[in-house]
Amino acid sequence: MTTERADATALADSIRHAGLRVTEPRVAVLGVLENESHIEAERVFRAVLPLVPGTSVQAVHGILAAFTQAGLVRRIEPAHSPALYERRVGDNHHHVVCTGCGAVEDIDCTVGHSPCLTPSSSGGFQIQTAEVTFWGLCPACQAAVPA
Amino acid sequence: MTTERADATALADSIRHAGLRVTEPRVAVLGVLENESHIEAERVFRAVLPLVPGTSVQAVHGILAAFTQAGLVRRIEPAHSPALYERRVGDNHHHVVCTGCGAVEDIDCTVGHSPCLTPSSSGGFQIQTAEVTFWGLCPACQAAVPA
DNA sequence: TCGTTATTTTGAGTAATTCAAAACAAGCAC
DNA sequence: GTGCTTGTTTTGAATTACTCAAAATAACGA
């Protein structure tokens, strides 16, 4: 089966097309991001290390920063949590964060057009984007803390 | 003029009514927060230090944490910035952050009811609150980077 | 005024990241 | 294929923004 090979090639292509050089750690990082919807740098590092021994945490931070800048991944920073990286990019989706366990899920916010993204008064700001974070309890935490 | 005195008394009352003991550093911190709409702990510390010599940064953090928990102030954590504290509390307002200089302004979000706060699919989460952060250019930065 | 308990100081430690210099390697030119 | 240039990564250190804990101190009800 050439599946793994093909995957690596596809990842490499994504990286190349973003205008970045293809390196082992970069392919590994992007691979990890494909498998985890929202993941922090530290966990990316721990997942990459066995795949590409010798990789440093700093490199992972650098790679994630490069990917973010190149638009390959998106970085979100929910309060009380280190930055999370996600592969889903290019659409304007939002997030729910569990106040119990910190779990994060994507939210396709607001049916139809986005009324919420037009503040009633922008205070003279020229608004570029809006970011919505919902806070609540995930199913598991709802079960754990009943009523 | 008893203005300053009266102010201090009012601040002390707010603190007491929140169920907290009134201390010099606490009154000073709350006073600083009354004058700055969005301010970070470090700047609170620098503003308080001359008013109450000997105050420690840790104390300021502790005070802000106590105030936040008591509902006297609200803590926000915009990406790429340390936590900011604001006195305006009890209403569900949102924020614009300048992508140029980091300036923050309040936004009274969404005219009428809040359609934006109802995600189309909540992924099973029991949603408690929604937080909207707008990103854009403040008037000053618009002028500095024309077109 | 006293005593209890909250608060602050003092001193140290941590998490998440950033910076910088040197070693290394991708990928284009030849 | 080989070499070169320039982008990446390693290595080692530093920084920012807090948090933790023990001892000293001070608020405020009794």
Side-chain angles (χ1 to χ4, degrees):
Chain A
M1 309 313 61
T2 55
T3 317
E4 272 180 16
R5 198 81 212 298
D7 269 1
T9 304
L11 295 172
D13 283 348
S14 301
I15 295 170
R16 210 185 324 271
H17 290 151
L20 298 170
R21 286 195 186 165
V22 177
T23 67
E24 259 207 282
R26 283 184 174 178
V27 172
V29 166
L30 198 56
V32 168
L33 288 166
E34 294 276 350
N35 293 325
E36 292 278 345
S37 51
H38 306 90
I39 183 171
E40 53 203 69
E42 176 65 26
R43 286 186 54 224
V44 172
F45 168 66
R46 289 206 297 268
V48 165
L49 196 49
L51 304 175
V52 188
T55 305
S56 66
V57 208
Q58 293 91 318
V60 171
H61 277 286
I63 290 166
L64 291 170
F67 282 2
T68 302
Q69 183 159 357
L72 274 181
V73 308
R74 180 172 159 193
R75 173 191 171 114
I76 61 173
E77 293 181 42
H80 316 304
S81 145
L84 299 176
Y85 297 86
E86 63 182 345
R87 187 74 176 91
R88 183 174 164 188
V89 96
D91 62 346
N92 188 6
H93 71 272
H94 302 302
H95 298 96
V96 220
V97 182
C98 180
T99 50
C101 66
V104 177
E105 291 274 334
D106 288 337
I107 290 282
D108 293 303
C109 181
T110 321
V111 205
H113 35 51
S114 320
C116 63
L117 306 191
T118 309
S120 54
S121 119
S122 65
F125 277 63
Q126 194 174 65
I127 294 185
Q128 296 157 346
T129 60
E131 192 186 347
V132 185
T133 303
F134 298 94
W135 297 89
L137 281 182
C138 72
C141 288
Q142 285 172 49
V145 188
Chain B
M1 308 311 62
T2 54
T3 317
E4 273 180 16
R5 198 79 212 299
D7 268 359
T9 305
L11 295 172
D13 284 348
S14 301
I15 295 169
R16 208 183 327 270
H17 291 151
L20 298 170
R21 285 193 186 168
V22 177
T23 67
E24 259 206 283
R26 283 183 173 178
V27 173
V29 166
L30 198 56
V32 168
L33 287 166
E34 294 276 349
N35 294 325
E36 293 278 346
S37 51
H38 305 91
I39 183 171
E40 53 204 68
E42 176 65 27
R43 287 187 53 224
V44 171
F45 169 66
R46 288 207 299 266
V48 164
L49 197 49
L51 304 175
V52 186
T55 304
S56 66
V57 207
Q58 292 92 319
V60 171
H61 278 287
I63 290 166
L64 290 170
F67 282 2
T68 303
Q69 183 160 359
L72 274 180
V73 308
R74 180 173 159 192
R75 173 190 170 114
I76 61 173
E77 293 181 43
H80 316 300
S81 144
L84 299 176
Y85 296 86
E86 66 182 343
R87 188 74 175 90
R88 184 175 164 188
V89 95
D91 63 346
N92 188 6
H93 70 273
H94 301 302
H95 299 96
V96 220
V97 182
C98 180
T99 50
C101 67
V104 178
E105 291 275 333
D106 287 337
I107 290 282
D108 294 303
C109 181
T110 320
V111 206
H113 35 52
S114 320
C116 64
L117 306 190
T118 308
S120 55
S121 120
S122 63
F125 277 63
Q126 195 173 68
I127 293 185
Q128 296 158 347
T129 60
E131 192 185 348
V132 185
T133 304
F134 297 95
W135 297 89
L137 281 181
C138 72
C141 288
Q142 284 172 49
V145 188

